[in-house]
Amino acid sequence: MEEKRAPLSEMAIERKIQILRNKHMDSEVIALVKSDYEYGLTDDEIGLYLNKSYDIEQMKVLSKCLHKGVSEELLTLLKDSRMAAPKMQTVLDYYEKGVPIDAIREVVQKDDTAVNMRRMFDVVLEKLNKAKEQMPQDLEYVKSLVAQMDEVVAKINHQNERYDALNKKLSEIETSKDDEEVRERLVKENQDKDALINSQQNELNKASSTIARLRDDIEKKDKEMKRMGDRIESLEDKIISVATENKKEAESKAEPQESQSVSQADKKMVDTVAVPQNMQAVANGIPVYYQIPVVDGTGNVVQRLPIERSVRKSSNSGVVSLFARLSFKKKSRADIVKLVASGDLVPAQLVQIKSAIEKGLTESQLVELINNNISAEKMKEIIEIAVLENSMAD
């Protein structure tokens, strides 16, 4: 059903007509267009003849076709054929009389005059009328057949609708099945991903535990290194203190022995001063040489008498010997502690370094042990070899 057309107001029609006036359109054309707008034709319908190179008579025939509501097929035939206005009018007249569109198309294609076209259309109409007069009963039969065919077609359409509904239901079932398969696949993929995530989380937990353990080991190693450094520094301070006391004790004991070596007759003339010839450390009975200056009555030195003196071993001679062998100074000690602290030694290796210091290894031997970073077991064997070698060198 065709939608109801909304009529244009007079003002709207006047605006459209004014546009045509501005384009200097012919007054007859403007009047035709105005009449069509007032009749209710739309812009698209009026444009069928207004925008083409038709004369006013052709435009009027096309306007009539639009007024009469002819089929789109006939309207297209008239526009495309570009016939003169009389021919177009003839076609419209016989179309209204019932001439089929196929017969009209066949006559139009012959491109004859309007008179000849009318004659041909009359022949077509005469044949159609004769056919209607000769077959009234057949027409009723045909109508009944058509009615039966319409009924069959209706049943077929009903069956088709049922089939369509069935197909739609089957499609929905198939789609549901596909969705279930997709859901199962997604569930399985999610389970696999969850398992992978759990595995990765376990690996992360293990890594975190390892990091924490290593951090604790590093802290323990740092504390052990600091403790050993403090212990080494304390031991070195004790060694230096003991060596200093032994030196003072040796010097204090040397003075009465030196004074006894001078005869009673020379006590008035000799002022005894014990001056060590060198500052060698006393260890393992090594002799220390002294020179005794002899002066005359005026105080001039007449002669220096060298004397040899043995120092009795004390209970701390082993510590002094260790200090002498290591030849530790403050700078060397700091270098050894710094070297140990900066190395990547485990506590077992640090214990062996401590043992090496106590067993009297030299600074160069300690440096070799630290720098080579060998295992604690091998380090222990090397320390024993080094101690044996040092004892043979003494």
Side-chain angles (χ1 to χ4, degrees), residues 234-255:
S234 175
L235 289 174
E236 290 176 357
D237 290 340
K238 288 181 181 179
I239 292 172
I240 293 173
S241 176
V242 170
T244 303
E245 290 178 0
N246 289 340
K247 176 181 176 184
K248 289 181 179 180
E249 183 181 354
E251 290 178 354
S252 63
K253 290 181 179 181
E255 290 180 359

mmCIF file of all heavy atoms in Angstrom, residues 234-255:
data_model
loop_
_atom_site.group_PDB
_atom_site.id
_atom_site.type_symbol
_atom_site.label_atom_id
_atom_site.label_comp_id
_atom_site.label_asym_id
_atom_site.label_seq_id
_atom_site.Cartn_x
_atom_site.Cartn_y
_atom_site.Cartn_z
ATOM 1 N N SER A 234 92.738 -7.954 65.882
ATOM 2 C CA SER A 234 93.026 -8.128 67.311
ATOM 3 C C SER A 234 94.286 -8.970 67.525
ATOM 4 O O SER A 234 95.143 -8.649 68.346
ATOM 5 C CB SER A 234 91.815 -8.777 67.981
ATOM 6 O OG SER A 234 92.098 -9.057 69.331
ATOM 7 N N LEU A 235 94.379 -10.070 66.722
ATOM 8 C CA LEU A 235 95.578 -10.916 66.847
ATOM 9 C C LEU A 235 96.841 -10.167 66.457
ATOM 10 O O LEU A 235 97.881 -10.300 67.101
ATOM 11 C CB LEU A 235 95.410 -12.159 65.963
ATOM 12 C CG LEU A 235 94.374 -13.188 66.439
ATOM 13 C CD1 LEU A 235 94.216 -14.287 65.387
ATOM 14 C CD2 LEU A 235 94.784 -13.793 67.771
ATOM 15 N N GLU A 236 96.742 -9.364 65.416
ATOM 16 C CA GLU A 236 97.925 -8.610 64.994
ATOM 17 C C GLU A 236 98.321 -7.589 66.059
ATOM 18 O O GLU A 236 99.504 -7.372 66.330
ATOM 19 C CB GLU A 236 97.640 -7.933 63.666
ATOM 20 C CG GLU A 236 97.532 -8.911 62.520
ATOM 21 C CD GLU A 236 97.159 -8.232 61.226
ATOM 22 O OE1 GLU A 236 96.933 -7.016 61.270
ATOM 23 O OE2 GLU A 236 97.106 -8.916 60.188
ATOM 24 N N ASP A 237 97.296 -6.940 66.646
ATOM 25 C CA ASP A 237 97.612 -5.997 67.729
ATOM 26 C C ASP A 237 98.285 -6.705 68.898
ATOM 27 O O ASP A 237 99.250 -6.183 69.503
ATOM 28 C CB ASP A 237 96.330 -5.317 68.203
ATOM 29 C CG ASP A 237 95.793 -4.357 67.150
ATOM 30 O OD1 ASP A 237 96.584 -3.941 66.275
ATOM 31 O OD2 ASP A 237 94.588 -4.041 67.192
ATOM 32 N N LYS A 238 97.778 -7.924 69.223
ATOM 33 C CA LYS A 238 98.404 -8.685 70.305
ATOM 34 C C LYS A 238 99.835 -9.070 69.952
ATOM 35 O O LYS A 238 100.740 -9.013 70.790
ATOM 36 C CB LYS A 238 97.570 -9.933 70.583
ATOM 37 C CG LYS A 238 96.250 -9.639 71.273
ATOM 38 C CD LYS A 238 95.496 -10.928 71.545
ATOM 39 C CE LYS A 238 94.165 -10.637 72.223
ATOM 40 N NZ LYS A 238 93.396 -11.883 72.484
ATOM 41 N N ILE A 239 100.036 -9.474 68.679
ATOM 42 C CA ILE A 239 101.398 -9.860 68.252
ATOM 43 C C ILE A 239 102.347 -8.678 68.374
ATOM 44 O O ILE A 239 103.467 -8.789 68.883
ATOM 45 C CB ILE A 239 101.366 -10.403 66.821
ATOM 46 C CG1 ILE A 239 100.625 -11.743 66.796
ATOM 47 C CG2 ILE A 239 102.775 -10.569 66.255
ATOM 48 C CD1 ILE A 239 100.372 -12.261 65.394
ATOM 49 N N ILE A 240 101.873 -7.509 67.884
ATOM 50 C CA ILE A 240 102.732 -6.306 67.957
ATOM 51 C C ILE A 240 103.011 -5.950 69.414
ATOM 52 O O ILE A 240 104.144 -5.582 69.795
ATOM 53 C CB ILE A 240 102.050 -5.145 67.223
ATOM 54 C CG1 ILE A 240 101.986 -5.463 65.725
ATOM 55 C CG2 ILE A 240 102.812 -3.843 67.446
ATOM 56 C CD1 ILE A 240 101.180 -4.455 64.943
ATOM 57 N N SER A 241 101.972 -6.062 70.275
ATOM 58 C CA SER A 241 102.160 -5.729 71.698
ATOM 59 C C SER A 241 103.146 -6.676 72.358
ATOM 60 O O SER A 241 104.035 -6.256 73.104
ATOM 61 C CB SER A 241 100.803 -5.798 72.401
ATOM 62 O OG SER A 241 100.953 -5.573 73.780
ATOM 63 N N VAL A 242 102.991 -7.984 72.072
ATOM 64 C CA VAL A 242 103.908 -8.973 72.664
ATOM 65 C C VAL A 242 105.334 -8.748 72.165
ATOM 66 O O VAL A 242 106.302 -8.826 72.932
ATOM 67 C CB VAL A 242 103.422 -10.395 72.332
ATOM 68 C CG1 VAL A 242 104.474 -11.430 72.718
ATOM 69 C CG2 VAL A 242 102.124 -10.675 73.063
ATOM 70 N N ALA A 243 105.466 -8.468 70.864
ATOM 71 C CA ALA A 243 106.804 -8.225 70.328
ATOM 72 C C ALA A 243 107.443 -7.011 70.978
ATOM 73 O O ALA A 243 108.638 -7.005 71.291
ATOM 74 C CB ALA A 243 106.717 -8.040 68.818
ATOM 75 N N THR A 244 106.649 -5.971 71.186
ATOM 76 C CA THR A 244 107.190 -4.761 71.820
ATOM 77 C C THR A 244 107.616 -5.048 73.253
ATOM 78 O O THR A 244 108.692 -4.618 73.707
ATOM 79 C CB THR A 244 106.124 -3.659 71.797
ATOM 80 O OG1 THR A 244 105.730 -3.422 70.447
ATOM 81 C CG2 THR A 244 106.679 -2.360 72.365
ATOM 82 N N GLU A 245 106.797 -5.810 74.002
ATOM 83 C CA GLU A 245 107.154 -6.150 75.387
ATOM 84 C C GLU A 245 108.410 -7.007 75.440
ATOM 85 O O GLU A 245 109.273 -6.813 76.295
ATOM 86 C CB GLU A 245 105.979 -6.882 76.030
ATOM 87 C CG GLU A 245 104.777 -5.987 76.289
ATOM 88 C CD GLU A 245 103.619 -6.756 76.874
ATOM 89 O OE1 GLU A 245 103.786 -7.984 77.069
ATOM 90 O OE2 GLU A 245 102.558 -6.148 77.127
ATOM 91 N N ASN A 246 108.512 -7.972 74.514
ATOM 92 C CA ASN A 246 109.711 -8.824 74.482
ATOM 93 C C ASN A 246 110.965 -8.016 74.193
ATOM 94 O O ASN A 246 112.036 -8.269 74.746
ATOM 95 C CB ASN A 246 109.544 -9.920 73.447
ATOM 96 C CG ASN A 246 108.532 -10.958 73.888
ATOM 97 O OD1 ASN A 246 108.231 -11.065 75.076
ATOM 98 N ND2 ASN A 246 108.000 -11.718 72.928
ATOM 99 N N LYS A 247 110.786 -7.028 73.320
ATOM 100 C CA LYS A 247 111.945 -6.178 72.974
ATOM 101 C C LYS A 247 112.393 -5.380 74.200
ATOM 102 O O LYS A 247 113.579 -5.289 74.517
ATOM 103 C CB LYS A 247 111.554 -5.254 71.833
ATOM 104 C CG LYS A 247 112.647 -4.263 71.457
ATOM 105 C CD LYS A 247 112.164 -3.368 70.342
ATOM 106 C CE LYS A 247 113.225 -2.303 70.044
ATOM 107 N NZ LYS A 247 112.777 -1.352 69.025
ATOM 108 N N LYS A 248 111.401 -4.810 74.892
ATOM 109 C CA LYS A 248 111.747 -4.030 76.089
ATOM 110 C C LYS A 248 112.365 -4.914 77.154
ATOM 111 O O LYS A 248 113.334 -4.541 77.840
ATOM 112 C CB LYS A 248 110.488 -3.360 76.634
ATOM 113 C CG LYS A 248 109.987 -2.234 75.743
ATOM 114 C CD LYS A 248 108.751 -1.605 76.353
ATOM 115 C CE LYS A 248 108.243 -0.463 75.475
ATOM 116 N NZ LYS A 248 107.022 0.173 76.044
ATOM 117 N N GLU A 249 111.803 -6.133 77.311
ATOM 118 C CA GLU A 249 112.335 -7.066 78.310
ATOM 119 C C GLU A 249 113.762 -7.465 77.964
ATOM 120 O O GLU A 249 114.628 -7.549 78.838
ATOM 121 C CB GLU A 249 111.428 -8.294 78.378
ATOM 122 C CG GLU A 249 111.875 -9.296 79.445
ATOM 123 C CD GLU A 249 110.967 -10.505 79.472
ATOM 124 O OE1 GLU A 249 109.957 -10.503 78.750
ATOM 125 O OE2 GLU A 249 111.282 -11.457 80.207
ATOM 126 N N ALA A 250 114.007 -7.670 76.633
ATOM 127 C CA ALA A 250 115.365 -8.044 76.218
ATOM 128 C C ALA A 250 116.343 -6.926 76.480
ATOM 129 O O ALA A 250 117.470 -7.149 76.930
ATOM 130 C CB ALA A 250 115.361 -8.425 74.740
ATOM 131 N N GLU A 251 115.896 -5.688 76.229
ATOM 132 C CA GLU A 251 116.808 -4.545 76.458
ATOM 133 C C GLU A 251 117.075 -4.347 77.946
ATOM 134 O O GLU A 251 118.203 -4.053 78.357
ATOM 135 C CB GLU A 251 116.181 -3.294 75.852
ATOM 136 C CG GLU A 251 116.151 -3.314 74.338
ATOM 137 C CD GLU A 251 115.484 -2.065 73.778
ATOM 138 O OE1 GLU A 251 114.957 -1.280 74.584
ATOM 139 O OE2 GLU A 251 115.495 -1.903 72.533
ATOM 140 N N SER A 252 116.034 -4.526 78.767
ATOM 141 C CA SER A 252 116.224 -4.320 80.212
ATOM 142 C C SER A 252 117.127 -5.385 80.820
ATOM 143 O O SER A 252 117.883 -5.124 81.751
ATOM 144 C CB SER A 252 114.858 -4.329 80.909
ATOM 145 O OG SER A 252 114.262 -5.593 80.754
ATOM 146 N N LYS A 253 117.054 -6.608 80.291
ATOM 147 C CA LYS A 253 117.921 -7.680 80.804
ATOM 148 C C LYS A 253 119.326 -7.570 80.278
ATOM 149 O O LYS A 253 120.261 -8.101 80.861
ATOM 150 C CB LYS A 253 117.325 -9.045 80.439
ATOM 151 C CG LYS A 253 116.055 -9.366 81.213
ATOM 152 C CD LYS A 253 115.523 -10.723 80.833
ATOM 153 C CE LYS A 253 114.270 -11.044 81.636
ATOM 154 N NZ LYS A 253 113.732 -12.391 81.301
ATOM 155 N N ALA A 254 119.511 -6.883 79.167
ATOM 156 C CA ALA A 254 120.855 -6.762 78.595
ATOM 157 C C ALA A 254 121.709 -5.792 79.381
ATOM 158 O O ALA A 254 122.921 -5.924 79.432
ATOM 159 C CB ALA A 254 120.754 -6.322 77.138
ATOM 160 N N GLU A 255 121.137 -4.785 80.071
ATOM 161 C CA GLU A 255 121.926 -3.754 80.756
ATOM 162 C C GLU A 255 122.753 -4.308 81.906
ATOM 163 O O GLU A 255 123.954 -4.032 82.001
ATOM 164 C CB GLU A 255 120.983 -2.659 81.234
ATOM 165 C CG GLU A 255 120.421 -1.849 80.088
ATOM 166 C CD GLU A 255 119.476 -0.762 80.589
ATOM 167 O OE1 GLU A 255 119.275 -0.686 81.816
ATOM 168 O OE2 GLU A 255 118.946 -0.013 79.744
#
